[in-house]
Amino acid sequence: MASMTNRTYGQYCGLSRAVEILGERWGLLIVRDLLIGPKRFTDLQRGLPGIPSNVLTSRLKELEKSGVVRRRVLPRPAGSVVYELTEYGSELEEAVVCFGRWGAKSLGEPRPDEIVTPDSIAMALRSTFRPEACQGVRANYELRLGDVVVHARVHDGSIEAATGRLPDADLVIEAGPGIRALMAGEITAGQAIEQGVARVSGKRQLFDQFAKIFRI
Amino acid sequence: MASMTNRTYGQYCGLSRAVEILGERWGLLIVRDLLIGPKRFTDLQRGLPGIPSNVLTSRLKELEKSGVVRRRVLPRPAGSVVYELTEYGSELEEAVVCFGRWGAKSLGEPRPDEIVTPDSIAMALRSTFRPEACQGVRANYELRLGDVVVHARVHDGSIEAATGRLPDADLVIEAGPGIRALMAGEITAGQAIEQGVARVSGKRQLFDQFAKIFRI
DNA sequence: CTGGATCCCTCACGATACTG
DNA sequence: CAGTATCGTGAGGGATCCAG
């Protein structure tokens, strides 16, 4: 193994290549946040609690060199710098969703110092989405967890999930981390409301739908 | 961020959990090899060129503690130790396949010191398999690349791919790394044979099928 | 304020040798 | 065969500083 210098695996294999590109620490989480939309350096930092700025800089440069991320200066008058996924980078969505779905199975309760970010929740909605559970369904949800607000537009087997409010939502759900128990099927929609895990406003029966559509 | 000691990400998020468990160096490649089947310590070493034995030991212990891998002593007279995936670990197949498929897109030509392992090729067949391209098809392939021999049983939209020979194969393909060009659609099945990229024996028209079924 | 650059320190990884 | 022991290096963590 002459030169294992640049962190390769010495194998002619697709998975090895993927891990060489995205296996460094924080790499996949950066991609997760960019899958939600383009972001500025500082916004990425906010979504990745504790990442050292030099590490974020390195990752972005590496991902740019690998063709996953593109650095772009917005036209005047904005003039600011944003990072966004290339076409190639966007093709990671399926893998990130798969991987996140697997990890969600053993999520359990939040650990003491753990935080919740808007992007991770939006991606969680994409991960847990079950197209087969909403054929012919059309529903717009706004989901609030603490001060994190995300939304999902469900439309006949497809979904768009993103951060922020949704003024024309059919149902607004206010909940805490306990919402996981609902999505894991450990409690029913009715119990979630009775136990104070969630409060809803809007078309109530869409909450039962929600529990069917988003499923760990 | 009080204690980021044990390599966590401080986020209540499925993807973060997955990366905490599998994001360490060599982790996913170990899982890839175990997805093909249970393996002994030394066999894992052989499939992971250059992995230090102490690192392999650490990974296996961590993965065992995470519930992904199980260490098992075979009953007498064998008495040897094997590592295998738990049910939970086996559920990683979809994610590994997705991830490997993404990485295969930018595989290019093999780098100088890169090797090919049986397990990685078997997993590559699972990654590139397109169920929609073989409805009603039944075919058994044996694929040889150098001294690496794997096989695939394709049966009406499903596949079993593993290492080793397949005595009742309908078609035996002998090829080099150039086979990637065929699977990437850069050349046709006919050209692959003309250019000496591949030699086949058996039912020739199944080779055209092969190029349709396994696709990067 | 944004978008980093620089420093120091620690620990995970890589290489090698050795053992029951 | 299936690991342990030891040691050197470099990537990552964390704080601070700086230009536009």
Side-chain angles (χ1 to χ4, degrees):
Chain A
M1 205 57 40
S3 70
M4 197 90 128
T5 50
N6 48 341
R7 243 61 203 140
T8 62
Y9 283 97
Q11 290 190 37
Y12 185 63
C13 156
L15 184 67
S16 299
R17 285 284 188 283
V19 176
E20 285 165 11
I21 294 173
L22 294 161
E24 304 288 311
R25 197 158 158 72
W26 299 104
L28 263 188
L29 297 190
I30 293 171
V31 170
R32 176 200 64 189
D33 283 13
L34 292 181
L35 278 169
I36 304 299
K39 291 215 166 27
R40 310 179 56 159
F41 189 91
T42 317
D43 294 328
L44 283 168
Q45 273 189 303
R46 231 192 310 280
L48 303 168
I51 187 173
S53 62
N54 55 355
V55 173
L56 180 53
T57 300
S58 312
R59 286 298 158 276
L60 288 171
K61 285 200 175 126
E62 294 160 13
L63 291 173
E64 200 180 346
K65 198 164 61 176
S66 307
V68 173
V69 161
R70 179 169 39 234
R71 184 186 196 271
R72 190 155 64 92
V73 180
L74 293 183
R76 303 304 309 261
S80 49
V81 176
V82 295
Y83 295 89
E84 61 188 8
L85 293 180
T86 61
E87 167 84 23
Y88 180 52
S90 302
E91 292 169 3
L92 274 164
E93 169 138 9
E94 191 188 354
V96 167
V97 163
C98 273
F99 215 44
R101 183 163 45 222
W102 181 84
K105 292 178 188 173
S106 61
L107 250 186
E109 295 301 305
R111 299 196 278 242
D113 285 338
E114 265 177 348
I115 69 165
V116 168
T117 71
D119 296 74
S120 74
I121 299 300
M123 192 53 68
L125 289 178
R126 295 188 194 175
S127 281
T128 56
F129 177 66
R130 297 193 312 152
E132 69 275 20
C134 57
Q135 299 301 330
V137 173
R138 185 184 182 86
N140 295 333
Y141 293 102
E142 179 174 313
L143 176 62
R144 306 184 192 164
L145 293 97
D147 48 359
V148 169
V149 181
V150 303
H151 66 266
R153 293 178 186 275
V154 174
H155 183 19
D156 197 22
S158 78
I159 183 178
E160 297 168 36
T163 57
R165 299 203 49 205
L166 188 60
D168 63 330
D170 303 306
L171 183 74
V172 176
I173 306 172
E174 289 190 67
I179 190 84
R180 187 202 59 84
L182 174 64
M183 295 168 68
E186 298 166 8
I187 58 174
T188 67
Q191 292 171 319
I193 291 179
E194 288 168 23
Q195 300 175 11
V197 169
R199 292 194 306 139
V200 300
S201 63
K203 302 174 190 163
R204 164 57 218 271
Q205 80 279 12
L206 280 180
F207 191 47
D208 300 271
Q209 275 286 349
F210 181 89
K212 288 195 185 70
I213 298 176
F214 300 97
R215 203 78 179 179
I216 298 180
Chain B
M1 206 57 41
S3 71
M4 196 93 127
T5 50
N6 46 342
R7 248 48 210 147
T8 62
Y9 283 95
Q11 289 190 37
Y12 185 63
C13 156
L15 184 66
S16 300
R17 285 284 189 283
V19 175
E20 285 165 9
I21 293 173
L22 294 161
E24 304 288 311
R25 197 159 158 73
W26 299 104
L28 262 189
L29 297 191
I30 293 171
V31 170
R32 176 200 63 190
D33 282 13
L34 291 181
L35 277 169
I36 303 300
K39 290 211 166 31
R40 310 178 57 159
F41 190 90
T42 317
D43 294 329
L44 283 168
Q45 273 188 304
R46 229 192 311 281
L48 304 168
I51 189 175
S53 59
N54 54 356
V55 173
L56 179 53
T57 300
S58 311
R59 286 298 158 274
L60 288 171
K61 284 199 175 128
E62 294 160 14
L63 292 173
E64 199 180 345
K65 197 164 61 176
S66 307
V68 174
V69 162
R70 179 170 37 234
R71 183 186 196 271
R72 191 155 62 91
V73 179
L74 293 183
R76 303 304 309 261
S80 49
V81 177
V82 294
Y83 295 90
E84 62 189 6
L85 293 180
T86 61
E87 167 84 23
Y88 181 51
S90 301
E91 292 170 3
L92 275 164
E93 169 137 10
E94 191 187 355
V96 167
V97 162
C98 273
F99 213 43
R101 182 163 46 222
W102 182 84
K105 293 177 188 171
S106 62
L107 250 186
E109 296 300 306
R111 299 195 278 243
D113 284 339
E114 265 177 349
I115 69 166
V116 167
T117 72
D119 295 75
S120 74
I121 298 301
M123 191 54 68
L125 289 178
R126 295 189 195 175
S127 281
T128 56
F129 177 66
R130 297 193 312 152
E132 69 274 20
C134 57
Q135 299 302 331
V137 174
R138 185 185 183 84
N140 295 334
Y141 292 102
E142 180 175 313
L143 176 62
R144 306 184 192 164
L145 293 98
D147 48 359
V148 170
V149 182
V150 302
H151 66 265
R153 293 178 185 276
V154 174
H155 183 20
D156 198 21
S158 78
I159 184 178
E160 297 167 36
T163 57
R165 300 203 49 203
L166 188 60
D168 63 330
D170 303 307
L171 183 74
V172 177
I173 306 171
E174 289 189 67
I179 190 84
R180 187 201 60 84
L182 173 64
M183 295 168 68
E186 299 166 8
I187 58 173
T188 67
Q191 291 171 319
I193 291 179
E194 287 167 24
Q195 300 174 11
V197 169
R199 292 194 305 139
V200 300
S201 63
K203 301 174 191 164
R204 165 56 220 270
Q205 81 279 10
L206 281 180
F207 190 48
D208 301 271
Q209 275 285 349
F210 180 89
K212 288 196 185 69
I213 298 176
F214 300 98
R215 204 78 179 177
I216 298 179

